[in-house]
Amino acid sequence: MARIAVIGAGMGAMAAAARLAVAGHRVVVYERTETYGGAVRRRERDGFAFDTGPGVLPLPAVWRDLFLKTGKEPLEACVELTQVDPSARHVFADGTEVSLPNASRAGVVAALDEALGAGAGARWGDFLVRAREAWDRTRRPLLEEPLWPNWPVLAEREPYPAVPHKRLLRTRRAGTLAEVGAWELRDPRLIALLESHALAYGLDPRVAPASAAVLPYMEHAFGTWYVRGGIRELARAVYERCLARRVEFVFGAEVTKLLEKDGRAAGVELADGTVAEADFVVAGVVPGALPDMPPRATGEVPPQRGLPSRLTVLLALRGPRPEGTPHRTVVHTEDRDGELESLFGSRTGTSTPRPTVTVLRPDDQRLVPDADHEAVTLTTTVPASSETSSDRAEAMLNAAERAIPDLRARLLWHEPHTPADIAEATGAQGGAVPAPSLAAAEGRLLHPSNSTALPGLFTVGGWSHPGGGLPHAGMSGTLVAGLIVEGPDFRGSQ
């Protein structure tokens, strides 16, 4: 039995801790804040409750596997999972609306044809077929296996099978997500649908590789799910699973130093001077959190820079949630170029006229004081370190009125959850949110390996392979546990 010190109680760190404890190790988690879950937090006020992190759950199989491998009770015995159907309602700049069925290619094709015109559904359906090929080519190396030592192969090879496109007497293939939209989808509304998946992860579609097509494919293939009571309930269930496996948690314990002995990790030192010896250390921390952090085993992976953050506005509404209201509505910007420039370019300022906003309206009585009220969450992508302003929140409310026409009349209060709040919860500078690992793009969207140059030290969570997002956090925990239990020859689940 090895002693294992885990730094941080984020979702990836807890996933690793539970798996390591089941393997017979003594695991202690040191968390600098007073709670678990990392960015997966809950805000409660006046009988209302809101997720301030992710609001929906993609690829729940990752968490089902964790519960299957760490105890007798399956995930569904610990939380109530429901499919979000329709998966999303989209309100486009020209006023067109479409509701897309959950995990149904035929249903999506029919809905797009009816809303956008004949042929639109077929173009999106054909795109999903190509996106599936990109998924099949990258699923194992990017999600299920430790990062390859020869990772530049992933950086150089574009897995998306783009359609040849004749332009200026030349035949070209799309290399970015924006080019996929312009050359293969062509309809500005389909382009907005495609690019909204990149924006949700803080990616600029103009430079994001075509392989980002796997993001809408994941949602289409595996569906979108909601955890009754909010996604924070998933964090609670993982935490309780850790406790059941005898993982020890020490809250309010900031790790300030890594201990090293005989050329390998030997434990951690806390801010109060306490020393905790360990045979292995698992660091679920953001870059720069530990000044003596050694380089990763694949330290030449380019660091992700300039990552955006998220601004969430919590809305308490009087009046019940109308029957048949979609759980999720994406209100697309009327100024696509302006939005992208404000996020990723040189334009300065606090807002665009109407940013792309995701409106979450869960049918969940656990989130409201009674049936005569509704809890709504608005989310948009913003630059990291950006200051919240009344103008930015007002722009989000204006956009949300396209999904909730009577919003102003029903509004009791609204409260922003800012990049500074994310920074406080996660320690990420400016509240930056990591994107998932993606192939191509010269490795800009790959994350460093979970192994490091210091034997016995591993990293876990969104800032390590395979990157950000709830499914990726769970996969990260699986990889780290495998590397510790089975050793450096571990090659992932079969």
Side-chain angles (χ1 to χ4, degrees), residues 338-402:
E339 178 176 46
L340 296 181
E341 188 63 21
S342 70
L343 288 172
F344 309 107
S346 57
R347 176 187 293 186
T348 59
T350 57
S351 66
T352 57
R354 278 186 176 171
T356 297
V357 174
T358 298
V359 182
L360 296 182
R361 304 178 71 182
D363 183 11
D364 190 345
Q365 291 302 307
R366 301 185 195 181
L367 306 183
V368 291
D370 54 52
D372 291 324
H373 293 86
E374 184 180 4
V376 177
T377 304
L378 313 180
T379 306
T380 193
T381 300
V382 296
S385 302
S386 64
E387 295 182 1
T388 304
S389 69
S390 57
D391 287 346
R392 190 184 294 275
E394 188 69 16
M396 293 177 68
L397 289 169
N398 289 338
E401 283 187 286
R402 297 169 63 197

Side-chain angles (χ1 to χ4, degrees), residues 43-342:
R43 170 64 170 142
E44 297 181 0
R45 174 180 166 185
D46 299 339
F48 293 86
F50 307 87
D51 282 320
T52 58
V56 293
L57 177 65
L59 204 57
V62 172
W63 299 99
R64 289 193 179 108
D65 183 71
L66 173 72
F67 278 74
L68 177 67
K69 300 291 176 55
T70 60
K72 296 181 180 179
E73 304 85 6
L75 176 62
E76 280 81 352
C78 303
V79 298
E80 184 181 348
L81 279 179
T82 60
Q83 269 198 315
V84 176
D85 201 4
S87 174
R89 169 191 174 211
H90 290 265
V91 179
F92 297 107
D94 65 352
T96 306
E97 298 183 12
V98 62
S99 292
L100 301 180
N102 198 342
S104 169
R105 182 179 182 277
V108 167
V109 168
L112 288 172
D113 274 344
E114 181 177 354
L116 308 187
R123 289 198 297 277
W124 184 258
D126 290 345
F127 158 74
L128 287 176
V129 171
R130 294 188 292 273
R132 175 180 179 174
E133 188 168 338
W135 166 261
D136 290 340
R137 291 174 178 177
T138 61
R139 176 177 57 87
R140 283 199 61 82
L142 285 186
L143 299 179
E144 298 177 355
E145 299 178 345
L147 187 64
W148 292 350
N150 62 332
W151 63 266
V153 173
L154 298 172
E156 298 163 2
R157 185 178 300 166
E158 173 54 70
Y160 178 77
V163 176
H165 171 75
K166 287 188 176 180
R167 182 179 176 87
L168 300 177
L169 304 180
R170 295 170 52 196
T171 299
R172 301 180 60 186
R173 292 178 182 269
T176 67
L177 200 66
E179 290 174 341
V180 170
W183 300 349
E184 299 179 13
L185 299 178
R186 301 190 293 280
D187 187 309
R189 297 162 297 185
L190 291 179
I191 293 170
L193 173 60
L194 172 65
E195 293 185 350
S196 66
H197 289 83
L199 276 177
Y201 285 101
L203 298 174
D204 182 351
R206 300 170 302 181
V207 297
S211 65
V214 300
L215 301 177
Y217 174 77
M218 284 175 60
E219 181 173 305
H220 159 77
F222 307 110
T224 303
W225 298 75
Y226 175 68
V227 181
R228 187 70 59 186
I231 299 297
R232 176 67 178 177
E233 284 297 292
L234 175 64
R236 174 202 52 81
V238 175
Y239 171 67
E240 291 181 354
R241 177 54 54 91
C242 286
L243 294 179
R245 301 283 80 83
R246 301 185 185 278
V247 174
E248 180 182 350
F249 285 80
V250 184
F251 293 106
E254 182 178 3
V255 173
T256 56
K257 184 178 181 180
L258 295 169
L259 303 182
E260 182 179 343
K261 183 178 180 180
D262 299 329
R264 63 173 290 118
V268 298
E269 182 176 322
L270 307 183
D272 63 4
T274 301
V275 170
E277 296 181 349
D279 301 297
F280 295 93
V281 176
V282 177
V285 297
V286 300
L290 294 172
D292 55 351
M293 190 79 177
R296 309 294 178 88
T298 51
E300 294 180 0
V301 171
Q304 294 195 22
R305 300 187 185 280
L307 291 174
S309 184
R310 297 190 184 105
L311 174 61
T312 301
V313 178
L314 316 176
L315 307 181
L317 303 185
R318 61 172 63 89
R321 178 182 185 271
E323 186 79 21
T325 296
H327 182 109
R328 179 174 57 160
T329 298
V330 180
V331 181
H332 295 269
T333 182
E334 297 170 332
D335 183 6
R336 180 257 192 189
D337 292 337
E339 178 176 46
L340 296 181
E341 188 63 21
S342 70

Side-chain angles (χ1 to χ4, degrees), residues 10-13 283-285 434 447 450 459-468 472-473 476-477 480:
M11 296 299 286
V285 297
H447 290 262
N450 308 105
T459 63
V460 72
W463 298 98
S464 302
H465 179 72
H472 300 74
S476 170
V480 168

